[in-house]
Amino acid sequence: MKTLRFSFALLILAAMFTPAETSAQTVIGVKGGIGITDFSLSDSSVDFDSRTTFTGGGFATFGLGETFFLQPEVLYAAKGAKSDLGGAGATLAVDYIEVPLLIGAGFNVGSGSVQPRVFAGPSVAFEIGCDLSGSEGGTTVSLSCSDIELETKSVDFGVVFGAGLAFPLGSVQLILDGRYDLGLTNVNDTEGDEESLKNRAWQFMAGVGFPVGG
């Protein structure tokens, strides 16, 4: 709840600045970048390290008046974490198609050539793959989660909040954003295992948007 309150506080602060002239437009585009992902785990005896992954996909931005916008996205988001199990490096990779629904606020700085934005909203992610791989002594083995009876929930609900910049460049926009993607669902669905396992990720993306109205 604290993260939600912080996100909406950012939106209110953003609304106090000069509205962006292009915020009433509809913009469609694509973006891609990196994710730095790991798990929130109820068992503190297990030590996970972050995993660097790819995330990216498409988005549409719909202006809501002069300041606010609604932005649904469809992203491929690779998540998971690394761990050192008995001296062998292991990676648990869980991949999703993620659909955030973001509400944000944008404002102009100076001449309007840079437009800072803040945003927050819920997301739902649908699992498309789960694998455990490990390497030791130059040998790498990869198994699907079902092969080792590690079951994960197929749907993960979460919340996303972050900030970004838009640079209008003639008929297109260059877009940069950074966000924190916090999973709210215990995705561990292994029978008899009560341990809670939740996704979390920092994601940094760059993209291009094409205004189509406004």
Side-chain angles (χ1 to χ4, degrees):
M1 293 300 295
K2 289 183 179 179
T3 57
L4 288 173
R5 289 197 295 267
F6 177 71
S7 300
F8 287 111
L10 287 177
L11 293 178
I12 293 171
L13 286 174
M16 298 171 63
F17 289 83
T18 304
E21 294 179 0
T22 60
S23 63
Q25 290 181 320
T26 297
V27 177
I28 59 173
V30 294
K31 62 174 64 176
I34 65 168
I36 301 173
T37 73
D38 66 358
F39 293 117
S40 171
L41 201 63
S42 60
D43 183 356
S44 59
S45 66
V46 179
D47 185 20
F48 277 113
D49 294 322
S50 62
R51 177 185 180 224
T52 301
T53 66
F54 172 79
T55 186
F59 67 92
T61 305
F62 303 98
L64 303 176
E66 294 184 334
T67 302
F68 293 97
F69 60 84
L70 182 69
Q71 183 168 293
E73 302 176 339
V74 180
L75 306 173
Y76 166 77
K79 298 183 180 181
K82 296 181 179 181
S83 184
D84 185 9
L85 300 175
T91 299
L92 178 58
V94 190
D95 299 336
Y96 295 91
I97 296 297
E98 187 164 14
V99 184
L101 182 60
L102 307 175
I103 186 168
F107 50 96
N108 283 330
V109 172
S111 63
S113 58
V114 180
Q115 297 169 358
R117 301 173 175 183
V118 292
F119 52 82
S123 70
V124 57
F126 304 94
E127 183 186 306
I128 57 173
C130 180
D131 299 282
L132 180 67
S133 60
S135 61
E136 185 177 13
T139 301
T140 299
V141 177
S142 180
L143 298 170
S144 70
C145 291
S146 59
D147 289 337
I148 56 174
E149 299 183 350
L150 173 61
E151 300 296 332
T152 53
K153 290 186 174 70
S154 59
V155 179
D156 182 18
F157 295 95
V159 61
V160 173
F161 52 95
L165 297 171
F167 302 88
L169 301 173
S171 60
V172 301
Q173 290 183 359
L174 175 64
I175 296 166
L176 304 174
D177 78 48
R179 62 184 66 187
Y180 188 65
D181 185 348
L182 177 64
L184 302 178
T185 301
N186 173 17
V187 296
N188 181 16
D189 203 28
T190 303
E191 186 176 354
D193 187 349
E194 300 300 324
E195 186 173 322
S196 175
L197 188 72
K198 297 181 181 180
N199 286 299
R200 55 188 183 186
W202 287 99
Q203 297 166 330
F204 304 94
M205 289 180 279
V208 59
F210 302 90
V212 295

